[in-house]
Amino acid sequence: MTAVVAESGASDRPSRGARRTFLRAAVRRPAAVGAVAPSSVGLAELLASVVPRSGGPVVVELGPGTGAVSAAIDRRLPEPGRHLAVEIDPGMCEYLRRTRPTLEVVPGDARQLAALLAERGVGRVDAVVSGLPWALFDPSTQESILGEVARLLAPAGAFTTFAYLHGMPLNTARRFRRTLAATFDEVVVSKTVWRNLPPAFGYVCRRPHPPG
């Protein structure tokens, strides 16, 4: 894995409403919210960098939370494109529908990603952008979600996600990197986004391995 993706210098402060919604979700589902704050603009732009700027791409966001990364995706997405956001927390879904009316909010579990998208007429996607808390998932859940992503991703598509810098030495982080490498032919590690809270880096993954 090599570090080639540049860090954005931007930073941001989430709105008061976004912070309240985020904290309520953390209290309701502590095992499903792995962050201490919404993603910074710099991290959001890094994750959204794989969104095609032309044509009519289909982009799926996993775990959009309060929409910090959703905004970066929408800034890149061309007019005919489609942006679907899969979120398991009802409060987050309600907040997203209220604050981002153009976003296709899909309530549900990312482990059933293919079925959730099939209900909406989607069988292939051009990019998957994930804000899921991988460190909180057991190996079976990680493999299940990544398997769904791999099956849906178009040949030229890409998958992005992130991890926190302080967690890199942990066994769970090393295991997740191995799972990414077992799922994708190319896994690129970005530079650190120091202005995120806490500092984070991204994974950019392409060309899923054939199943089996």
Side-chain angles (χ1 to χ4, degrees):
M1 299 180 185
T2 56
V4 300
V5 182
E7 171 191 351
S8 166
S11 63
D12 71 327
R13 290 179 179 274
S15 71
R16 190 172 299 174
R19 288 196 297 269
R20 281 199 302 266
T21 302
F22 189 88
L23 290 172
R24 285 171 185 158
V27 170
R28 280 193 305 270
R29 294 174 177 268
V33 179
V36 297
S39 298
S40 67
V41 169
L43 181 59
E45 290 179 347
L46 188 156
L47 294 173
S49 64
V50 298
V51 174
R53 287 188 178 274
S54 60
V58 176
V59 178
V60 172
E61 186 179 3
L62 304 179
T66 56
V69 179
S70 305
I73 292 172
D74 288 343
R75 285 193 291 270
R76 289 184 60 94
L77 193 67
E79 187 62 37
R82 195 171 173 189
H83 179 185
L84 301 97
V86 178
E87 173 59 55
I88 198 170
D89 185 82
M92 295 282 202
C93 289
E94 180 184 346
Y95 179 84
L96 289 168
R97 289 192 181 105
R98 187 172 69 251
T99 58
R100 300 194 174 278
T102 61
L103 182 64
E104 292 186 60
V105 179
V106 181
D109 190 323
R111 286 175 292 187
Q112 282 82 51
L113 184 60
L116 292 170
L117 296 184
E119 292 172 358
R120 290 154 179 84
V122 175
R124 277 287 184 186
V125 301
D126 299 290
V128 178
V129 178
S130 172
L132 295 174
W134 298 101
L136 300 183
F137 297 156
D138 59 40
S140 174
T141 298
Q142 291 181 356
E143 291 169 8
S144 175
I145 296 172
L146 290 175
E148 293 283 290
V149 171
R151 282 189 289 274
L152 290 162
L153 205 58
F159 166 72
T160 56
T161 191
F162 74 94
Y164 293 122
L165 185 63
H166 66 267
M168 283 189 73
L170 300 178
N171 287 334
T172 53
R174 291 198 293 268
R175 184 185 67 215
F176 180 61
R177 290 197 293 272
R178 289 195 297 270
T179 304
L180 286 175
T183 307
F184 298 94
D185 178 57
E186 178 181 275
V187 179
V188 176
V189 182
S190 80
K191 291 182 179 179
T192 300
V193 181
W194 292 104
R195 295 186 183 183
N196 197 71
L197 179 66
F201 61 93
Y203 292 111
V204 182
C205 309
R206 293 183 171 87
R207 299 188 301 277
H209 294 304

